[in-house]
Amino acid sequence: MSDVVRVGSRASRLARTQVAEWLAPVARRLPEVTFKRQIILEGGDRDRVTSTLAEVARTADGSAFSTNQEAALVTGQVDVIVHSLKDLPTSVHQGTILLTTPGPREDVRDVLCGSTLAGLRKGARVGTGAPRRVGQLLALRPDLEVVPVRGNVPGRLARTTKGSLDGVILAAAGLHRLGLMPEAHEELDPAVFPPSPGQGALGIQVRAGSPVAALLAWTGDTQVDACVRAERVLLAELHGGCSVPVGAWCRVEPGGALSLSAAVTSKDGAQQVTAAGEGPIDDAEKLGVSIAADLLAQGAADILRSIRTF
């Protein structure tokens, strides 16, 4: 195979940081290979006006944050893509595969930046564009005014100091990777505020059967991979994506079992169904299917249907 591997990612500082994080140990292990980075703009990067990612995804004819990267991979413009796994649909493009998820996984939690939940005044304005975060926030504090915000991490953070927001909700993983955790913040308990499936993890996508897939087959962490597979299977069973209010958190317990908890929350926070369970680490998919079935039995489909027709 060629001794040059082209690595694609989005253009943001966070995306570039994630590539560097994944590439550092890989490049040390493969000193004979030259890794070249290539930037690929997505619909969500070009369109900073549309308020919801669901609308951007429809315009982009796929995912707001992965469609163009997958196309570049399939057509051979790049050999590997480094994604934020939470932004990648549960069904990847035909002819491609995800490698074993790399570890360690970053902090899965969401963070309220600019304040604590208890410290927010009644009627405070909190920014987030994610339906899951909107619903979960209003379930805890129905008095708050939620304001749609999009854009990169520094720009959203600035809205709490230079704008009119009392707080914004961001992923801890991005804040840690960029070294931007603000002084005033609260890390939200994932047992109460479960994150997006795959949050904090990287998704490494390659062409199936390619020389690069063989070259990188050794990468990844089986425990991290089991956790994100359980979360993503659950999301797939609910026919969800990054624009629906599904939260899921899977971790490996001290005894070695997988523990998965999840929630589906209406956009106004008035309805929420939750489920949790454990299973063997070598059967992550079965656990995801089981917890999804529990959520559906409690009425999750009705909540999701109302969101999709909103």
Side-chain angles (χ1 to χ4, degrees), residues 88-91 197 232-246 304 308:
L88 188 64
T90 54
S91 178
R232 284 170 60 80
V233 165
L234 177 143
L235 184 62
E237 288 292 304
L238 297 175
H239 305 289
C242 64
S243 60
V244 296
V246 177
L304 294 172
R308 292 187 179 107

Side-chain angles (χ1 to χ4, degrees), residues 138-245:
L138 291 177
L140 297 173
R141 286 287 305 270
D143 61 293
L144 298 176
E145 178 186 353
V146 181
V147 179
V149 294
R150 285 190 49 224
N152 58 30
V153 171
R156 282 181 283 170
L157 272 177
R159 297 284 295 273
T160 64
T161 55
K162 300 176 182 177
S164 58
L165 298 181
D166 298 289
V168 295
I169 300 181
L170 297 169
L175 293 167
H176 287 312
R177 284 177 169 134
L178 295 175
L180 291 176
M181 186 69 72
E183 183 176 350
H185 72 274
E186 180 180 354
E187 292 159 326
L188 302 173
D189 183 353
V192 178
F193 209 96
S196 293
Q199 188 157 301
L202 301 180
I204 311 303
Q205 189 176 13
V206 296
R207 288 184 296 280
S210 67
V212 171
L215 178 74
L216 300 174
W218 58 273
T219 63
D221 182 301
T222 55
Q223 290 195 351
V224 172
D225 191 66
C227 288
V228 299
R229 280 190 288 114
E231 294 170 3
R232 284 170 60 80
V233 165
L234 177 143
L235 184 62
E237 288 292 304
L238 297 175
H239 305 289
C242 64
S243 60
V244 296

Side-chain angles (χ1 to χ4, degrees), residues 242-310:
C242 64
S243 60
V244 296
V246 177
W249 175 41
C250 188
R251 57 276 187 201
V252 180
E253 297 293 352
L258 287 183
S259 179
L260 175 62
S261 51
V264 178
T265 314
S266 63
K267 193 168 183 179
D268 62 3
Q271 296 175 277
Q272 185 177 71
V273 295
T274 63
E278 292 189 358
I281 195 168
D282 58 357
D283 209 349
E285 288 85 357
K286 182 177 180 180
L287 179 59
V289 169
S290 174
I291 301 304
D294 193 346
L295 292 168
L296 291 169
Q298 297 180 62
D302 292 334
I303 296 175
L304 294 172
R305 193 176 300 114
S306 69
I307 293 290
R308 292 187 179 107
T309 57
F310 186 81

Side-chain angles (χ1 to χ4, degrees), residues 41-80:
L41 289 178
E42 292 286 352
D45 301 315
R46 291 191 174 100
D47 182 349
R48 296 297 180 88
V49 177
T50 305
S51 61
T52 69
L53 290 178
E55 294 175 53
V56 176
R58 282 192 290 269
T59 303
D61 194 28
S63 166
F65 294 129
S66 66
T67 299
N68 296 339
Q69 293 172 92
E70 287 197 290
L73 180 63
V74 170
T75 57
Q77 297 175 52
V78 295
D79 304 302
V80 58

